[in-house]
Amino acid sequence: MNSPQAKINGQIVDIKDGETILQAAKRLGMEIPTLCYADGMHPEGGCRMCLVESNQKNRPLGACHTPIQAGMKIQTHTPKLEALRRDILSLYLDNEQPVFQGNGQETKFTRLLQDYQLTAIANAHPAKVDESHPYLRFNPNTCITCRLCLNACEQIQGQFVYSVAGRGSESHLIFGAGKSFAESPCVACGACVDQCPTGAISDRNRFTASHIETVTQTVCGYCGVGCRLEVSTAQGKVVQITGVPTAVVNHGHLCLKGRYAHTYHHSSERLTQPIKRVGQEFQPISWQEAIELIAGELLRIKAEYGKDALGVFTSSRSTNEAAYLLQKLFRTIIGTNNIDCCARVCHSSTATALQMVTGAGAATASYLDIEKAKCIVIAGANPTEAHPVIGSRIKQAVLKGARLVVIDPRRIELAEYADIHLQLLPGTNVPLLNALAKVLIAEDLINHDYLNERVEGYEEFRAFVNHLSLDEIASITTVETNLIREAAQLIGSYGQTLFVHGLGLSELTQGTASVITLCNLGMLTGSIGGEGAGMLPLRGQNNVQGNADMGSMPNLITGYQPLNDPALRRRLEPLWGGLPPEQPGLTSQEMIDAAARGEIRALWCQGEDMVQSDPNETHVRKALSNLDFMVVQDLFFCETARYAHLILPAAAALEQEGTFTNAERRIQYVRPTVPSPGKARPDWEAIRDVAVKMGANWHYQHPGEIMDEIAQVAPHYFGGVSYARLAGDGLQWPCPSPDHPGTVTVHADRFMGGKGQLVAIDYVPSPEHGVKGYPFLLITGRLLEHYNVGTMTRRTANQELVPEDVLEIHPGDADQENIADGEQVNLESRWGSIQVKVKKSRRIAPGTLFLSFHYPETHTNRITGPHLDPQSKCPQYKAVAVRLQPNKS
């Protein structure tokens, strides 16, 4: 059967359902002028530049919003249409409001003026240009109120910053209630800049094309979303970053960190050469001296105190290849499994739980499932701040009809979009999630076929939740019974659900239990392995998933393989030239404790500022000061570097080649865009050279060779991964063979562990609950503008946006404590005390506080304590008993 056809400028085009004339013309390679249209957004239809003529209508049609129909004969550039377009452009120029002064940048509008032989005119009385924002500029003299910025803000970011005030020639753009960009709710994602046809909204650091020397595609070095970037450079510096429009991860969208916060690369504070401690000072040395010193000291300490007197923390900011080599060095040359990474203090509970109940310790779903989901549950995650591009995608999904349940002690931004917000007491995830399971089962809102075919432990679990009291759980969690019931009914009515979760579940003494109880909901509803559904943990740093994948754990080798697996050991021996011990090593927290006792004598810390990011800062400082030898490999002289004996200057994310793995298991190719400053080097090269100096027979000349070895060590996950296959969007593991396309949905047909496990877990109160004399529970976390310990973003204009940490407190609590907004207070736990400014906020429930950890001068982790999840050894950051009082000194 022949498909229906039409003709555009005499050329036949097959008709596709839902396609407009404009889209069909683009498919034929024909360009129809537009000013208010952008791919992927609803057509505005206001500029009228895209008018075309059709044999089926007596009047011109707007190509951007008119569906193409069978039998149409369309003309796009007749003399009448061209004259009409010229008149439309002339009206923009004649209008007293928008006047074009030219700012050295070619825009869509200036190209159209040139095409139609029109000249921009200068305004004798131009309006003031708004440069109040550190990253964005608004020039009202070039604004034509086409509404593209407004549509981009709403339909891409979901922020609703812009409005148009006035009518006709008096219409003009406004920024909500604010009078300037800086006062507006803008989050500086830059979507409006990408779409503005006149340059009225522009990047303040934007360079003209003639000034840009190279454009390189790579991957963002901030959070675990893994956005693909186009990095423009000139004279060896990054000058501009935009998103890759076709990228499946981010669809061209970015957040303010990925788009703008890149100037730290060229900071004068970057480490540029190796330095060693001499007394209380640091002195520069050559790389040869540094490598000899590391090799000699590690071998000396091994010989004097034994192999297990050494340990290493690998970096989740560096590449997969660097993490793999560093854990290999310690397992083979030194012979210890004292290997860990920052996943221990963030997502180790998540990985442990998922491994236990599904057989794979990573996301079962992908980002594509956000748009497909009918129901989304966000538990203990704050995507719009910590993972902004994913947060915007969730916003858009909800705006298009998806239902949303938010489980969080704070009223995060997405709670404003949610059908139901369960604002629980910090540390009470387990009883709340058990209560939801109880209602699902009691009201028969579960997937019986899925449970019968794919899951074990249902009867035992049903009996367990049957005896739970919803009223008692409501009392424990502070969430009303009717809200618990409504949330369960909403989830159950949609069947398969997408569960997006984060550190609010994992960073607790019942962290592993929290994730398991969330997985119980995933299995009861038949969600795990489904499309538009499943478990989607949001990883923190850019390569925290990959770092763990590479074997940066004391009990598992690359690809999550047990140390004593016979098949693994047979593969390893010829590849590694030796075998690691079968006995698991120490976790990061256990290594710190061992260092404090004098049992760990040497540590290599790669790209991890433990002093600022690990709990119980006073204890960490004491432990590190007790070491005989410590290597720090980093971009800046961080807090941990103060305890180093040798510091190696590292290459940053935009300066090295390798791979990162994002939160949806996607391995992506990272390309260098600018040279490293001074003598800074990629981590993997320094590790290789140290290993060779210690006697290893390593001959790696390119990181691609390391990835080829990784594929051999863990073929079940990475057997089909190679640099040759990582162009574009990369590959999602498992990818077991060279012809495998990668895995979008894990456990689609069966669980990797055989059958899924429903697990009955009772609530155990946190040791931080009900502590006499400490009436508040403190939650720590991230802010949109900054990144983890902040060494990168604090060296950018993000510092202007958020110059310091502040303690968020409910206004009622502040009034009761007689504390004013902006006042300095003493915040004290059983582990330490700090001073910090207060900010009243209704995002916080009474009795709780929130503080970020981005500034070393705040010492947030001086007051977090030693409590760990017993299974994952993940510290508790999300519920700390504290007291506060005004600082009257």
Side-chain angles (χ1 to χ4, degrees):
M1 182 177 177
N2 293 330
S3 60
Q5 295 178 329
K7 284 186 177 182
I8 303 178
N9 296 337
Q11 190 170 337
I12 295 174
V13 59
D14 292 329
I15 293 175
K16 292 185 176 181
D17 288 343
E19 196 171 48
T20 63
I21 295 172
L22 182 65
Q23 291 167 333
K26 282 191 173 186
R27 192 153 47 86
L28 293 177
M30 300 176 185
E31 184 174 349
I32 300 174
T34 65
L35 278 174
C36 68
Y37 173 84
D39 288 334
M41 294 196 295
H42 302 310
E44 176 69 26
C47 74
R48 314 307 289 167
M49 287 292 293
C50 70
L51 291 175
V52 296
E53 295 177 353
S54 168
N55 64 319
Q56 295 184 356
K57 293 288 182 180
N58 294 326
R59 54 180 175 79
L61 302 173
C64 68
H65 60 266
T66 303
I68 190 166
Q69 297 177 354
M72 273 188 169
K73 295 179 180 178
I74 298 159
Q75 294 293 321
T76 66
H77 288 78
T78 65
K80 179 180 177 181
L81 290 172
E82 292 295 89
L84 180 59
R85 288 174 183 142
R86 194 176 192 281
D87 289 344
I88 291 170
L89 290 171
S90 297
L91 287 173
Y92 285 125
L93 295 179
D94 290 341
N95 190 309
E96 292 181 2
Q97 174 64 23
V99 181
F100 301 86
Q101 296 174 294
N103 55 6
Q105 297 180 34
E106 184 182 58
T107 66
K108 178 187 284 190
F109 191 86
T110 57
R111 287 193 296 270
L112 284 172
L113 292 182
Q114 186 174 10
D115 290 344
Y116 287 90
Q117 299 179 333
L118 293 168
T119 303
I121 58 175
N123 188 347
H125 304 286
K128 183 179 178 181
V129 176
D130 183 347
E131 294 188 317
S132 61
H133 196 284
Y135 290 128
L136 296 162
R137 174 191 293 114
F138 174 57
N139 183 355
N141 303 293
T142 60
C143 179
I144 60 173
T145 58
C146 65
R147 297 174 59 91
L148 261 182
C149 59
L150 184 152
N151 290 334
C153 191
E154 294 182 2
Q155 297 173 37
I156 298 174
Q157 178 61 35
Q159 202 64 21
F160 301 92
V161 170
Y162 301 111
S163 297
V164 175
R167 303 187 66 179
S169 63
E170 298 298 319
S171 65
H172 61 281
L173 195 67
I174 59 174
F175 311 102
K179 295 182 180 179
S180 69
F181 246 142
E183 297 171 323
S184 78
C186 173
V187 294
C189 71
C192 55
V193 174
D194 289 339
Q195 301 301 339
C196 180
T198 68
I201 300 174
S202 62
D203 294 343
R204 290 186 63 176
N205 66 348
R206 197 171 188 86
F207 277 56
T208 61
S210 61
H211 290 131
I212 292 172
E213 296 173 2
T214 60
V215 179
T216 307
Q217 288 195 7
T218 188
V219 182
C220 185
Y222 279 111
C223 77
V225 173
C227 295
R228 286 178 59 205
L229 312 176
E230 288 187 345
V231 181
S232 299
T233 61
Q235 298 179 351
K237 289 191 175 184
V238 177
V239 295
Q240 182 177 303
I241 295 179
T242 56
V244 176
T246 58
V248 69
V249 168
N250 55 307
H251 306 307
H253 192 37
L254 296 175
C255 76
L256 86 164
K257 292 191 289 289
R259 184 180 181 105
Y260 297 115
H262 53 74
T263 53
Y264 75 89
H265 279 267
H266 316 300
S267 168
S268 61
E269 297 180 278
R270 282 288 299 275
L271 294 169
T272 60
Q273 63 189 89
I275 53 176
K276 76 170 183 177
R277 181 184 296 278
V278 179
Q280 296 303 311
E281 303 295 327
F282 284 92
Q283 295 181 0
I285 60 174
S286 68
W287 269 102
Q288 181 179 348
E289 291 174 291
I291 289 164
E292 289 174 353
L293 178 60
I294 298 172
E297 284 295 287
L298 295 183
L299 291 173
R300 178 189 66 79
I301 291 170
K302 175 185 176 182
E304 189 171 344
Y305 297 102
K307 57 186 176 58
D308 289 325
L310 299 95
V312 64
F313 300 152
T314 64
S315 175
S316 296
R317 289 188 287 158
S318 193
T319 62
N320 286 321
E321 293 74 13
Y324 172 81
L325 286 192
L326 195 49
Q327 62 88 35
K328 178 182 175 181
L329 185 156
F330 271 73
R331 283 190 157 118
T332 57
I333 302 170
I334 293 172
T336 183
N337 286 315
N338 290 341
I339 298 158
D340 215 343
C341 66
C342 78
R344 181 66 51 198
V345 298
C346 57
H347 265 295
S348 56
S349 300
T350 302
T352 301
L354 286 166
Q355 182 72 40
M356 288 172 59
V357 301
T358 72
T364 75
S366 297
Y367 301 156
L368 290 172
D369 289 305
I370 295 170
E371 283 77 22
K372 298 176 182 178
K374 295 179 180 178
C375 182
I376 301 172
V377 172
I378 299 175
N382 187 6
T384 58
E385 292 208 57
H387 305 87
V389 169
I390 294 304
S392 66
R393 288 178 70 166
I394 292 171
K395 280 186 187 179
Q396 295 304 324
V398 174
L399 291 170
K400 293 174 182 175
R403 308 300 294 274
L404 178 63
V405 175
V406 168
I407 303 173
D408 202 290
R410 302 166 67 208
R411 190 161 184 82
I412 61 173
E413 182 182 2
L414 283 170
E416 305 298 329
Y417 291 73
D419 295 274
I420 299 171
H421 175 205
L422 304 179
Q423 194 169 14
L424 75 169
L425 182 74
T428 60
N429 296 306
V430 169
L432 179 62
L433 297 171
N434 279 338
L436 294 173
K438 176 182 175 70
V439 175
L440 287 172
I441 292 173
E443 301 195 13
D444 198 25
L445 298 171
I446 58 177
N447 189 325
H448 291 281
D449 291 340
Y450 182 96
L451 292 168
N452 290 335
E453 295 169 10
R454 301 187 55 178
V455 177
E456 294 178 338
Y458 172 69
E459 291 302 327
E460 296 88 343
F461 183 76
R462 183 169 67 95
F464 165 72
V465 296
N466 187 51
H467 289 90
L468 297 177
S469 164
L470 288 185
D471 289 338
E472 182 179 347
I473 290 173
S475 177
I476 292 169
T477 63
T478 71
V479 178
E480 295 177 4
T481 303
N482 65 309
L483 278 179
I484 296 173
R485 197 178 302 279
E486 288 174 17
Q489 290 168 343
L490 178 61
I491 295 167
S493 65
Y494 282 89
Q496 292 187 332
T497 294
L498 180 64
F499 295 91
V500 180
H501 46 112
L503 304 187
L505 261 61
S506 62
E507 290 182 339
L508 294 164
T509 52
Q510 274 203 301
T512 300
S514 294
V515 180
I516 288 175
T517 50
L518 189 71
C519 290
N520 287 339
L521 302 183
M523 284 182 277
L524 288 172
T525 55
S527 300
I528 300 177
E531 193 173 90
M535 316 306 295
L536 187 59
L538 297 179
R539 306 298 190 182
Q541 297 190 56
N542 54 299
N543 199 37
V544 68
Q545 179 67 58
N547 198 0
D549 294 347
M550 293 301 104
S552 297
M553 291 179 285
N555 61 327
L556 296 171
I557 296 286
T558 311
Y560 305 95
Q561 300 173 92
L563 292 162
N564 60 358
D565 181 358
L568 166 68
R569 297 181 77 82
R570 285 193 297 271
R571 282 196 304 275
L572 281 185
E573 192 157 20
L575 288 170
W576 282 12
L579 291 173
E582 294 189 35
Q583 183 68 28
L586 302 178
T587 66
S588 60
Q589 303 305 301
E590 290 169 338
M591 281 189 263
I592 292 295
D593 292 343
R597 296 191 301 267
E599 296 167 8
I600 289 283
R601 314 292 298 208
L603 281 176
W604 187 327
C605 184
Q606 179 201 33
E608 180 68 18
D609 192 356
M610 296 180 293
V611 170
Q612 191 177 340
S613 61
D614 280 25
N616 202 355
E617 179 191 311
T618 302
H619 177 60
V620 174
R621 289 183 184 271
K622 177 184 174 183
L624 297 186
S625 66
N626 208 28
L627 293 168
D628 292 354
F629 186 67
M630 183 176 186
V631 180
V632 165
Q633 200 169 9
D634 217 315
L635 307 179
F636 298 96
F637 192 94
C638 60
E639 290 297 299
T640 302
R642 299 181 187 278
Y643 299 88
H645 298 84
L646 180 66
I647 303 173
L648 301 179
L654 301 183
E655 300 164 2
Q656 60 182 312
E657 187 171 13
T659 58
F660 296 156
T661 306
N662 73 355
E664 58 169 355
R665 300 167 281 100
R666 187 179 300 277
I667 304 167
Q668 298 187 98
Y669 186 21
V670 178
R671 297 171 177 86
T673 65
V674 289
S676 301
K679 297 178 181 178
R681 299 175 64 192
D683 291 345
W684 75 269
E685 289 184 7
I687 296 163
R688 174 202 61 193
D689 291 353
V690 171
V692 170
K693 192 67 180 177
M694 295 176 73
N697 187 28
W698 291 7
H699 300 286
Y700 310 108
Q701 297 299 312
H702 187 272
E705 298 168 10
I706 305 170
M707 180 55 71
D708 292 341
E709 182 175 306
I710 292 166
Q712 295 178 69
V713 171
H716 58 301
Y717 281 164
F718 312 121
V721 179
S722 66
Y723 275 29
R725 298 192 66 202
L726 292 180
D729 289 316
L731 293 165
Q732 289 176 274
W733 66 259
C735 182
S737 62
D739 60 349
H740 194 283
T743 304
V744 176
T745 305
V746 183
H747 318 298
D749 300 315
R750 58 182 295 276
F751 284 100
M752 293 181 71
K755 283 199 170 186
Q757 304 293 317
L758 281 170
V759 183
I761 301 178
D762 211 346
Y763 169 58
V764 178
S766 165
E768 295 291 302
H769 284 163
V771 179
K772 187 176 181 180
Y774 297 87
F776 293 97
L777 281 176
L778 173 71
I779 305 163
T780 69
R782 296 186 180 94
L783 302 177
L784 167 68
E785 293 82 2
H786 288 299
Y787 171 70
N788 284 18
V789 296
T791 55
M792 293 149 68
T793 52
R794 283 189 293 111
R795 291 169 172 89
T796 71
N798 284 32
Q799 175 72 4
E800 298 177 37
L801 296 170
V802 179
E804 61 184 349
D805 283 325
V806 293
L807 180 71
E808 292 186 23
I809 183 172
H810 189 274
D813 287 337
D815 293 344
Q816 186 172 345
E817 297 288 327
N818 196 26
I819 296 171
D821 210 28
E823 185 175 350
Q824 195 93 0
V825 299
N826 291 319
L827 182 65
E828 183 180 0
S829 73
R830 290 173 288 169
W831 325 111
S833 64
I834 62 174
Q835 294 186 351
V836 65
K837 282 185 181 179
V838 160
K839 177 183 177 182
K840 294 181 181 180
S841 172
R842 293 195 178 276
R843 298 202 308 171
I844 292 292
T848 64
L849 308 169
F850 176 81
L851 181 62
S852 70
F853 52 89
H854 300 306
Y855 288 82
E857 54 268 33
T858 304
H859 299 284
T860 297
N861 282 313
R862 187 179 288 172
I863 56 177
T864 53
H867 305 304
L868 306 176
D869 176 278
Q871 292 161 297
S872 68
K873 309 300 182 186
C874 183
Q876 175 156 299
Y877 293 99
K878 301 304 183 189
V880 182
V882 294
R883 60 190 176 198
L884 52 81
Q885 61 184 33
N887 178 14
K888 300 301 183 183
S889 59

